Each structure stands twice: as structure tokens, then as C-alpha cells.
């Protein structure tokens, strides 16, 4: 087929495409990010629509099976533009991320881990871990939630994000199935801070996102633990009991004047969905508080990639694919795109 007959697909993935080049597979180089190919994605073994060429085997597969591939220069770490190409498009889609958002994501995503950043991040991570353990222990024999020290750690993490986010991101990969609730809250807190920062939120709101992530499942401490840890399918009544945790957490935080209202509302509404199918209030779209929309994405991502009593962990790639597929329905579309750009297909590989 002559080059002028090749057309760039304007399908559902177009919003993530920026600088597209359609090239022959033999022109691929390590570090190119492929967003489309002549072979339908469902007929490949790739778990997501989008793949980084990071090995000889991946490049060879493309050469053996594809007549052409589309690479996105913006998402290709090597930024290399082959001299020979079939089609070139500089796409400015109104749904694409703002340049400053892309830049922030790339700065965070391309950080290097050093002994100094790992040491500093470990101190913050395990300090937060101690605070979560204390909060859970306190809830065993009293109603008040003391979070002053936890807030200080969140502030420190937000302040050190530019230096330590790469090391923190690796630390949250430590998954302990026997301590799921505590680690889940810590992971959601750290990733919520990173996502809010990448989205361009002001410092105060970044800290609120982190605190909301830390406290989002607080209400689960008031649930029947036998139901919460049940390995089998829940009955309708049991599921209603589980759903009560978001309102329970909100009620637990209402007495503390030191907790921002945005954090309380995020705890209440982190299971609300843009299409109105969530709970506890069934609100939709932008009526859902912004911090709650952000925490919902991170909460789902960490849950999907964790081993739980009723659901084995799935891959980083699969989790991002689920989020992308459900953007605009189950999750805020723009924040999902920022999150995918932030974690990418490179950070955890």
C-alpha cells in the first residue's frame, strides 16, 4: 500500500496520542512506544493497548507480525524520530494533557533512585507505617482518631516529592498479604500525593489528597472483620455492610476540626463514580469532590495490584488498562490519563 494511503486511527485511544509516526517495524528502536499496529491488539499477547520496545524480543515480534506500527514520540523515552516513515501527525487533541502536566509526569517518572533518596524515603515510608499501625490500634479501644503526627509525615512526603518519589514508588511495591489494610492506606496516600502533584494541584491540596488517601478506608475498622476478610462471594446483605465503610469513616472524622472538609468528603465519596453508579449517595460527574475522584483512581489501582483474600493480584499493566477502559464511567478521565502518564509502562515494568 502506498504511504499516502495510510491513515492515523482516530479511535478511542486518540486522546493519549501526541506526536505520531507510522513506521515500518524494522525502523523501531529500543525506547519507542507503540500505540497502534497493523495487527489487532486482541490478537496479540500484549496486555494493554500500548507497548514500550524495551527488548530485542519485543522488537522482533513487531517485525515478524506487523506491516506497520504507530509510535508516539511524546511517550517514547528515546524521543527518536526515524528518518523513514509512512505518515506523521502532530496531534493537538483538546482531551490531551496540558504540556505542563506532561512535563511534571515525566520529571517524576524519570527520577533515579540513589542511596540517599532511598534512605530518606524509607524513613518517611516506615514513619507513615508506624502512624497507620497506631491509628488502627487506637481504634480498637476508643472512638477518637488522632492524626496530627500522620499529617506531619504527609506534609514531609509532599515536600520531598521532587527528590524522593521514585524511591517511594518502589517501596510501595512491598506487598504483605497479612497486613493489607495498613499497607493499602500507605500506598494510596503516597500515590495520591504523586498524582495530585502531577496534575498541578497547589501544595495544600496535594497534602489533602495524601491525607485523604491515608484515611479513605478508615471506616473498615468499624466493619465485621469476618465479612471484610471473607474469601467467598459476598451476599447482597454482606455487600451492603461493606459499602457502609465510606460513611462510617466520614462520621468518624466529623468531630476532628483539624481535618479539612475536603478530606472528610473524599473519605465519604471515594466510591462514587462519574456515571452515578457509586455509593453512598449515587452522585455523578463533577459533583463528586475532586479529591475523592483522585483517591478513587489510586485506591482501585493499588487494590487491583495487591493480593487480597478474594482476588489475586493482577499486573501493573492490566491495572492501568482497566483504569483506562473505565475512564469517564468509573473514573475521572483526565486524572486517569495523568496517572497513566505518571506511572507509564516503564516505572514498574
Amino acid at each position: 500500500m502506498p504511504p499516502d494511503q495510510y491513515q492515523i486511527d482516530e479511535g478511542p485511544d486518540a486522546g493519549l496520542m501526541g506526536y505520531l509516526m507510522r513506521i515500518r517495524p524494522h525502523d523501531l528502536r529500543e525506547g519507542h512506544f507503540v500505540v497502534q499496529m497493523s495487527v489487532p491488539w486482541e490478537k496479540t499477547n500484549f496486555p494493554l493497548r500500548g507497548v514500550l520496545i524495551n527488548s530485542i524480543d519485543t522488537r522482533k515480534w513487531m517485525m515478524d507480525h506487523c506491516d506497520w506500527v504507530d509510535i508516539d514520540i511524546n511517550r517514547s523515552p528515546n524521543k527518536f524520530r526515524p528518518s523513514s516513515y509512512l505518515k506523521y501527525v502532530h496531534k493537538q487533541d483538546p482531551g490531551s494533557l496540558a504540556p505542563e502536566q506532561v512535563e511534571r509526569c515525566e520529571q517524576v517518572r524519570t527520577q533515579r533512585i540513589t542511596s540517599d533518596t532511598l534512605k530518606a524515603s524509607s524513613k518517611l515510608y516506615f514513619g507513615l507505617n508506624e502512624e497507620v499501625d497506631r491509628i488502627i490500634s487506637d481504634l480498637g479501644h476508643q472512638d477518637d482518631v488522632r492524626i496530627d503526627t500522620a499529617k506531619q509525615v504527609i506534609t514531609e512526603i509532599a515536600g520531598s516529592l521532587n527528590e524522593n518519589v521514585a524511591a517511594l514508588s518502589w517501596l510501595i511495591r512491598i506487598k504483605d498479604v497479612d497486613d493489607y489494610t495498613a499497607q493499602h492506606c500507605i500506598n494510596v496516600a503516597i500515590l495520591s500525593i504523586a498524582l495530585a502533584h502531577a496534575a498541578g494541584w497547589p501544595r495544600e491540596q496535594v497534602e489533602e489528597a495524601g491525607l485523604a488517601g491515608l484515611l479513605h478506608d478508615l471506616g473498615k475498622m468499624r466493619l465485621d472483620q469476618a465479612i471484610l476478610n471473607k474469601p467467598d462471594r459476598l451476599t447482597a446483605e454482606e455487600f451492603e455492610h461493606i459499602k457502609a465503610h465510606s460513611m462510617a469513616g466520614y462520621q468518624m472524622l466529623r468531630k476532628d476540626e483539624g481535618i479539612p472538609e475536603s478530606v472528610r468528603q473524599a473519605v465519604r465519596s471515594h466510591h462514587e463514580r462519574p456515571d452515578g453508579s457509586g455509593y453512598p449517595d449515587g452522585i455523578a460527574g463533577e459533583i463528586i469532590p475532586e479529591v475523592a475522584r483522585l483517591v478513587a483512581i489510586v485506591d482501585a489501582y493499588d487494590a487491583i495490584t495487591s493480593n487480597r483474600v478474594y482476588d489475586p493480584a493482577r499486573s501493573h499493566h492490566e491495572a492501568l488498562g482497566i483504569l483506562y477502559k473505565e475512564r469517564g464511567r468509573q473514573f475521572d478521565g483526565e486524572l486517569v490519563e495523568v496517572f497513566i502518564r505518571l506511572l507509564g509502562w516503564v516505572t514498574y515494568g
Side-chain angles (χ1 to χ4, degrees), residues 183-349:
Q183 288 199 338
H184 176 63
C185 291
I186 294 167
N187 295 349
V188 173
I190 292 171
L191 286 177
S192 292
I193 290 171
L195 177 53
H197 171 75
W201 291 10
R203 171 64 180 273
E204 181 180 358
Q205 198 174 10
V206 169
E207 294 182 16
E208 290 173 0
L211 190 57
L214 186 70
L215 301 174
H216 76 286
D217 272 348
L218 191 66
K220 286 185 176 179
M221 300 301 103
R222 290 289 181 258
L223 298 183
D224 183 328
Q225 298 301 298
I227 296 176
L228 184 64
N229 296 313
K230 182 180 177 180
D232 303 317
R233 181 182 292 275
L234 297 176
T235 65
E237 292 78 12
E238 289 170 336
F239 184 52
E240 288 301 316
H241 178 72
I242 295 294
K243 287 165 62 176
H245 80 274
S246 54
M247 184 60 77
Y250 170 73
Q251 295 290 352
M252 291 165 68
L253 296 175
R254 288 187 68 182
K255 300 177 183 178
D256 192 333
E257 296 180 356
I259 298 177
E261 181 62 20
S262 63
V263 172
R264 285 194 285 264
Q265 290 298 331
V267 170
R268 174 178 180 145
S269 301
H270 69 279
H271 281 290
E272 300 288 0
R273 298 296 179 245
D275 64 2
S277 64
Y279 62 86
D281 302 306
I283 55 179
E286 294 187 1
I287 298 175
I288 303 171
E290 191 173 29
V291 178
R293 283 181 269 146
L294 181 144
V295 171
I297 292 168
V298 180
D299 177 32
Y301 169 81
D302 190 69
I304 293 168
T305 56
S306 299
N307 278 309
R308 294 169 286 171
V309 292
Y310 52 85
D311 193 13
R314 283 176 274 181
S315 72
H316 163 75
H317 292 230
E318 187 174 358
L320 292 184
I322 291 169
L323 292 175
Y324 186 68
K325 180 181 178 181
E326 295 299 328
R327 70 198 191 286
R329 294 188 292 268
Q330 296 292 297
F331 306 104
D332 182 282
E334 181 177 338
L335 286 173
V336 164
E337 292 194 17
V338 175
F339 192 62
I340 289 174
R341 174 79 69 166
L342 174 67
L343 295 190
W345 284 266
V346 182
T347 306
Y348 298 149

Side-chain angles (χ1 to χ4, degrees), residues 28-202:
L28 281 170
R29 297 291 182 270
E30 184 173 344
H32 275 143
F33 194 90
V34 176
V35 295
Q36 190 153 307
M37 62 183 83
S38 58
V39 179
W41 287 97
E42 58 269 19
K43 294 184 179 180
T44 76
N45 290 325
F46 299 115
L48 197 63
R49 289 179 63 95
V51 61
L52 178 71
I53 305 301
N54 58 2
S55 70
I56 295 174
D57 289 342
T58 304
R59 180 174 181 268
K60 186 177 185 301
W61 189 96
M62 297 286 179
M63 293 174 62
D64 291 344
H65 294 85
C66 302
D67 294 324
W68 53 263
V69 295
D70 288 344
I71 57 173
D72 185 340
I73 300 300
N74 273 347
R75 298 169 71 191
S76 296
N78 63 15
K79 306 302 179 188
F80 177 70
R81 293 177 173 81
S83 58
S84 175
Y85 59 90
L86 303 170
K87 195 79 174 177
Y88 176 77
V89 172
H90 175 196
K91 180 172 175 51
Q92 293 287 358
D93 189 283
S96 299
L97 302 183
E100 58 270 20
Q101 288 180 319
V102 173
E103 182 178 357
R104 276 190 296 269
C105 290
E106 291 303 303
Q107 287 175 348
V108 169
R109 195 172 62 81
T110 57
Q111 277 186 11
R112 295 292 179 264
I113 299 174
T114 67
S115 59
D116 288 340
T117 61
L118 188 58
K119 182 179 180 180
S121 298
S122 296
K123 180 180 179 181
L124 292 171
Y125 180 89
F126 291 110
L128 196 57
N129 189 51
E130 289 179 3
E131 284 305 304
V132 172
D133 286 344
R134 181 191 57 74
I135 290 171
I136 292 174
S137 176
D138 286 351
L139 287 173
H141 55 270
Q142 63 186 47
D143 292 329
D144 292 338
V145 182
R146 297 181 293 108
I147 65 163
D148 288 347
T149 308
K151 285 174 67 176
Q152 292 174 14
V153 179
I154 291 290
T155 298
E156 288 184 56
I157 291 174
S160 69
L161 197 66
N162 289 334
E163 295 79 26
N164 297 327
V165 71
L168 284 165
S169 295
W170 279 99
L171 284 170
I172 68 174
R173 299 181 72 196
I174 303 170
K175 306 280 189 178
D176 183 353
V177 70
D178 295 324
D179 196 21
Y180 170 74
T181 298
Q183 288 199 338
H184 176 63
C185 291
I186 294 167
N187 295 349
V188 173
I190 292 171
L191 286 177
S192 292
I193 290 171
L195 177 53
H197 171 75
W201 291 10

